[in-house]
Amino acid sequence: MSSTAEHHHDDHHHGPAKGFMRWVTTTNHKDIGTMYLIFSLVMFMVGGFMALIVRAELFVPGLQLVDPHFFNQMTTMHALIMVFGAIMPGMVGFANWQVPLMIGAPDMALPRLNNWSFWILPFAFSLILSGLFFFGGGPASGWTLYAPLTLQGGIGVDLTIFAIHMMGISSIMGAINVIVTVFNMRAPGMTLMKMPLFVWTWVITAFLLIAVMPVFAGAVTMVLTDRHFGTAFFDPAGGGDPVLYQHIFWFFGHPEVYIMILPAFGIISQIIPTFSRKKLFGYESMVFATAGIAFLSFIVWAHHMFTVGMPLAGELYFMYATMLIAVPTGVKIFNWVSTMWRGSMTFETPMLYAIAVVFLFTIGGLSGLMLAIVPADFQYHDTYFVVAHFHYVLFSGAIMAMMGGVFYWLPKWTGHMYDERLGKWQFWLTTIFFNITFFPQHFLGLAGMPRRIPDYNLQFAEFNFMSSVGAMGLGITQLLFIYIIYKAVKGGEKATTEVWEGAEGLEWTVPSPAPYHTFETPPVVK
Amino acid sequence: MIASKSLVSKLLVVVVCMFGFGYALVPLYDLFCDITGIGGKTGQIEQVVAAQERIDKDRVVTVEFTSVSTSGLPWEFRPEKNKLKVHPGEIYEIMYFAKNNSSQSVVGQAIPSVTPGLASKYFNKTECFCFTQQTLAGKEQKDMPVRFIIDPDLPEDIHTVTLSYSFFNAQKYAQN
C-alpha cells in the first residue's frame, strides 16, 4: 500500500512518512481505514479458526478432540472476536475510507481521535486472547456473558471485561468521529438527503453505537464489581437478580445486531445501483426505513429472553414489536429488487455478492420472524435454529456485504483491478460452502439440538457431518480471498478513475488509487 | 472547528448519560417489578394488618411449596408438606426444615419466588426465614416457620400458586 501512495509524491507537498512509525502515528483516514480493514481480516481468520475447532469437535457424535470447557471457550471467543473484532472494525474501516471520499471531505473531522480509536483495538483483543493462557482459560459463558455464570470463571473473564471496555471506547470514539465528519465536513451542495446511502446508514449506526455501547460497558462493570468488590447486582444470594442482567445486556444487544447489519445495507445500496446502471429505487424511503429499524431496535430487546418467565402481556408486546421490524426491512429488500428491475445488469463479483446478500439475508430475516413467534420460540430457543438464523444475517448479511464492498472499492484503494476470475471462484465457493454449513443447522434446531454443547444425539449425526464439511470448505476458501487482495495490492490491470461503468458518486471522481490527500479543495455538488 | 467541538461535547454528554442509564436500569427494574408484581417477589406485611383481612371462605386456592438448596450450599432444605389448600384472607403457617451437612458454620440466604408471577403481588408474609440471613453451625438443624396470607383480591382465574425457595450460600455477604 505504501508503494502505491508514493507514486503520487510529485503531485503533493507531503506523502506519508516511511516505515513502521508511519502506521503508528498516522492521522490519515485512508491509512487508518486500511489498518482497520487488515485488523478485521486478521480477526476474521482467528475467529474462523476457532469456529473450525468447534466444527471439528462436532464432526461426529461423542467427545474427540477438545474437552467441554475448552469447547465453551471456543464458541464464546469465536463470537466475541467475530462481533467485536471482525465485523465492527471492518465496518469502521469502510467508514474511514469511504465516508470522507463520498461526502467530499479532506479527512475525518477528528484525525487524532481516529488514530487512537484504531490503536486501542490490537491491545483489547490481545487481552481477550491472552485469557487462553491463564488458569481457568478464556471466557466460556457464551458471548452474552450472562451473569451469574460470569461471576464464576478465572481471570480470563476479567480480561474480557477490560477488553470490552477498551473496544467500547474505541467504537464510541469512532462513532463520534463519523457523526462530526458528516455534520460538519460535507462538501458545498452535499445536503443530507443527497448523501450516498452508505453514509446515511453509517450515521445512524454511529448514533446507535453512542446510545448502547455505554450501557454494555455499564453491564460488564457491574459484573466486575460483583466479582471483586462485594456488590450484588446479579447475585441472588446478595439480593441481586440474574434476569436483570439479561435485560441490560439485550438492551445493548439488540441495537448491536443492527450496528453490524446497517452499514452492510449501506454497502449493497451502493453496489446494486452501479451494476444495475440505475439510480437507487426509493432513496428517501431507504433513509427512513434505516432510521425506523434503528428506532425499533430499542424497543424489542426482550424477544431474546421469552423463556425467562415473562407475563403473557410482555411476550405479546415484544412479539408484535419484533414483527413490526419486518416492515422497514421489507421496504429495503423490495427497493433493492426494484433497483435491479429492468436495469442493464452485469454480474461482476461485487454484484454477485450484493444479490447473494439480498437473497440469503432474506432467509435469515424470515427465520428471525419465526423466532419472534412466542409459542414457537419456546421450541427454537437456544437450539441450532438460532445459530442458523444469526449466521444467515451476520455471515451472509454483514460479512458477505463486506466482501462485496472490498471487491467493489479495492480498485479505488489499490489502483489495480482484482482478478475477476478468482473473485468469481471465491464468491461461488463461499456461497455454496456457507449454505452447506448453515442450512442443515435449521433442521438440527427444529429437531431440538441445543447450541453450545460439544456432544449430541446420534440422530443429529448426518446434518452435523454436512455442516462440518461445509465449514472446512468455507474456512479454506477465505485463504483465496486473502490471496486475491494480496494480488491486487501488488499489481494487476490499472484501474480507471471511474472503475465501474455505472458508478456514481464523488469517490469515483478521484484518481485510482485514491491519492494520499483528496478533496483539499472541496468539490461542489450540484 | 468550533462547531466540531460543541458537537463532540454534546455527543460525549449522551455517552455519559447512557452509561448512567445502564445503572439506572437497576432501580427502574426493581420499581417496575414492584408495581406490576411480575418479578415473582413476595410481599411482607405486619401481623396486625393481616389479622384484619376479610376471610373468603367460599374460595379455595392450592399453594404448592418447593425448595432447592443451590450447589454452593451444603444444606438439606425442604418444606414439611408439598401443598396446602387455603382460603384467601386467612393466615397459615408452614414449617421448613434445614440441616447443615458440613462441619463448618455457614451463612445462607433464602430467596422466594412465586409462580405465576402475577400472583406475587397478592402473596404476603408476616414471618419468614427469608427476611434475614440464616446461620447454621456445623451439623446444626432447624425448623423454620413461614406465615403467609393470600390477598382476597387475588385474580379469579388463579387457582394454584407455587411458592419456591432457593437457599444460596451468602457467606460473602454475611452481615456482621
Side-chain angles (χ1 to χ4, degrees):
Chain A
M1 189 115 288
S2 62
S3 66
T4 60
E6 277 157 24
H7 284 302
H8 293 270
H9 250 229
D10 305 337
D11 316 334
H12 292 276
H13 320 296
H14 57 282
K18 298 245 164 31
F20 179 68
M21 283 314 280
R22 165 194 173 179
W23 298 102
V24 177
T25 58
T26 185
T27 54
N28 180 287
H29 75 102
K30 299 185 185 81
D31 280 354
I32 294 172
T34 305
M35 289 195 294
Y36 263 114
L37 288 167
I38 292 171
F39 178 79
S40 160
L41 190 57
V42 171
M43 286 292 123
F44 178 60
M45 298 313 281
V46 172
F49 183 71
M50 290 173 172
L52 291 188
I53 294 175
V54 169
R55 279 320 318 173
E57 176 57 50
L58 294 172
F59 189 54
V60 286
L63 295 175
Q64 291 86 23
L65 297 171
V66 296
D67 69 273
H69 182 58
F70 188 71
F71 182 90
N72 289 343
Q73 292 172 45
M74 285 299 107
T75 55
T76 304
M77 294 179 82
H78 162 70
L80 285 171
I81 285 175
M82 285 305 194
V83 169
F84 297 114
I87 299 183
M88 288 170 66
M91 294 301 184
V92 180
F94 276 101
N96 259 295
W97 254 102
Q98 292 308 128
V99 168
L101 283 181
M102 286 173 145
I103 61 172
D107 203 312
M108 296 295 275
L110 311 160
R112 281 180 202 279
L113 196 74
N114 209 6
N115 174 290
W116 263 105
S117 328
F118 173 76
W119 277 108
I120 288 177
L121 283 180
F123 296 96
F125 284 88
S126 309
L127 268 189
I128 291 192
L129 289 168
S130 68
L132 286 172
F133 305 105
F134 285 100
F135 179 75
S141 54
W143 83 283
T144 53
L145 303 172
Y146 273 2
L149 185 55
T150 36
L151 303 184
Q152 308 166 12
I155 194 167
V157 180
D158 301 312
L159 293 171
T160 306
I161 290 172
F162 289 130
I164 285 171
H165 283 142
M166 288 164 72
M167 68 104 227
I169 292 169
S170 159
S171 355
I172 289 170
M173 293 199 300
I176 290 179
N177 214 339
V178 169
I179 294 174
V180 177
T181 306
V182 169
F183 281 111
N184 289 347
M185 305 209 18
R186 296 192 310 278
M190 176 63 80
T191 59
L192 284 177
M193 289 311 276
K194 272 189 193 160
M195 291 195 306
L197 207 76
F198 176 74
V199 181
W200 257 115
T201 55
W202 237 109
V203 173
I204 292 169
T205 302
F207 278 110
L208 287 180
L209 277 166
I210 285 177
V212 299
M213 287 311 295
V215 177
F216 188 35
V220 293
T221 308
M222 290 182 218
V223 171
L224 189 73
T225 55
D226 270 15
R227 280 168 64 83
H228 298 295
F229 302 105
T231 60
F233 288 104
F234 307 125
D235 187 355
D241 193 328
V243 177
L244 172 64
Y245 178 84
Q246 299 192 22
H247 280 290
I248 303 177
F249 179 83
W250 287 113
F251 183 82
F252 148 79
H254 199 76
E256 166 69 15
V257 300
Y258 294 123
I259 287 168
M260 291 188 273
I261 199 63
L262 290 182
F265 287 171
I267 292 172
I268 58 173
S269 301
Q270 300 303 127
I271 295 175
I272 289 179
T274 297
F275 296 98
S276 305
R277 290 161 183 81
K278 277 175 69 189
K279 283 219 177 308
L280 184 67
F281 184 88
Y283 171 85
E284 286 87 358
S285 67
M286 284 299 227
V287 173
F288 291 124
T290 311
I293 292 173
F295 170 74
L296 288 173
S297 73
F298 284 102
I299 56 169
V300 296
W301 74 90
H303 65 214
H304 294 271
M305 36 190 291
F306 278 146
T307 57
V308 293
M310 253 186 281
L312 188 62
E315 305 211 306
L316 285 177
Y317 161 71
F318 283 110
M319 173 166 96
Y320 291 129
T322 302
M323 290 180 160
L324 205 58
I325 300 178
V327 177
T329 314
V331 167
K332 290 181 145 302
I333 302 279
F334 286 113
N335 279 348
W336 288 322
V337 175
S338 310
T339 307
M340 289 188 261
W341 175 252
R342 295 197 164 173
S344 324
M345 289 168 70
T346 50
F347 300 93
E348 287 86 347
T349 312
M351 185 58 164
L352 290 176
Y353 265 110
I355 295 171
V357 168
V358 173
F359 185 75
L360 296 173
F361 177 84
T362 305
I363 294 178
L366 289 175
S367 59
L369 272 178
M370 289 170 71
L371 287 164
I373 303 168
V374 171
D377 182 75
F378 275 70
Q379 165 73 9
Y380 307 153
H381 188 87
D382 251 339
T383 67
Y384 261 83
F385 191 80
V386 180
V387 177
H389 157 69
F390 66 69
H391 281 94
Y392 266 82
V393 289
L394 289 179
F395 192 97
S396 65
I399 298 274
M400 282 174 65
M402 284 205 278
M403 285 179 177
V406 166
F407 285 116
Y408 184 54
W409 283 306
L410 202 57
K412 182 55 65 188
W413 298 341
T414 64
H416 304 123
M417 297 304 285
Y418 60 89
D419 187 326
E420 184 65 49
R421 196 175 57 90
L422 287 182
K424 285 210 167 79
W425 267 102
Q426 195 269 343
F427 165 77
W428 283 110
L429 289 173
T430 300
T431 307
I432 291 167
F433 280 127
F434 165 77
N435 280 290
I436 294 176
T437 309
F438 292 107
F439 209 81
Q441 295 184 1
H442 288 114
F443 305 126
L444 288 172
L446 293 178
M449 177 171 162
R451 63 192 278 215
R452 294 171 172 156
I453 307 283
D455 191 6
Y456 51 84
N457 193 303
L458 282 177
Q459 63 168 323
F460 302 129
E462 280 84 0
F463 282 137
N464 270 298
F465 176 81
M466 279 171 71
S467 189
S468 288
V469 170
M472 300 300 154
L474 188 57
I476 292 164
T477 304
Q478 302 324 316
L479 298 175
L480 181 59
F481 183 56
I482 294 176
Y483 173 71
I484 297 170
I485 295 173
Y486 175 79
K487 210 175 148 197
V489 171
K490 282 292 158 197
E493 191 196 327
K494 282 267 166 233
T496 60
T497 298
E498 293 81 19
V499 182
W500 309 109
E501 188 191 57
E504 282 186 32
L506 287 176
E507 80 259 45
W508 310 111
T509 63
V510 299
S512 303
Y516 199 59
H517 296 289
T518 41
F519 297 129
E520 286 153 305
T521 335
V524 176
V525 182
K526 287 184 286 297
Chain B
M1 267 346 268
I2 295 170
S4 294
K5 269 193 186 147
S6 89
L7 185 53
V8 170
S9 21
K10 278 179 206 153
L11 293 171
L12 282 176
V13 171
V14 176
V15 169
V16 173
C17 289
M18 287 312 290
F19 186 77
F21 176 73
Y23 275 85
L25 281 174
V26 179
L28 282 176
Y29 174 83
D30 284 339
L31 190 68
F32 187 76
C33 290
D34 226 32
I35 294 168
T36 56
I38 56 177
K41 286 181 183 155
T42 54
Q44 178 181 358
I45 57 171
E46 295 297 326
Q47 181 81 34
V48 278
V49 180
Q52 287 162 0
E53 284 283 4
R54 162 180 64 85
I55 299 173
D56 188 351
K57 283 285 182 198
D58 300 331
R59 192 167 168 204
V60 177
V61 176
T62 307
V63 181
E64 299 175 334
F65 304 98
T66 66
S67 64
V68 60
S69 172
T70 57
S71 58
L73 189 70
W75 289 9
E76 244 177 272
F77 172 53
R78 58 171 185 270
E80 62 173 351
K81 56 181 102 156
N82 292 331
K83 60 172 80 169
L84 196 64
K85 293 203 184 295
V86 306
H87 297 299
E90 198 169 338
I91 303 173
Y92 293 88
E93 184 177 271
I94 175 167
M95 301 302 284
Y96 276 75
F97 170 79
K99 182 180 178 215
N100 184 352
N101 283 332
S102 76
S103 48
Q104 268 104 37
S105 164
V106 183
V107 179
Q109 170 73 57
I111 302 292
S113 171
V114 166
T115 310
L118 290 174
S120 62
K121 254 203 321 195
Y122 306 94
F123 197 100
N124 293 309
K125 285 176 279 193
T126 61
E127 187 179 333
C128 178
F129 53 87
C130 62
F131 290 164
T132 55
Q133 292 176 340
Q134 301 292 327
T135 308
L136 289 187
K139 302 291 175 195
E140 187 188 345
Q141 59 182 61
K142 198 155 117 182
D143 283 309
M144 305 175 295
V146 174
R147 233 171 275 138
F148 66 91
I149 174 170
I150 291 187
D151 196 309
D153 295 333
L154 181 77
E156 284 297 322
D157 56 340
I158 298 178
H159 306 289
T160 305
V161 175
T162 307
L163 173 65
S164 143
Y165 280 106
S166 303
F167 237 119
F168 291 91
N169 187 329
Q171 204 72 42
K172 206 174 135 188
Y173 305 100
Q175 288 154 350
N176 39 46

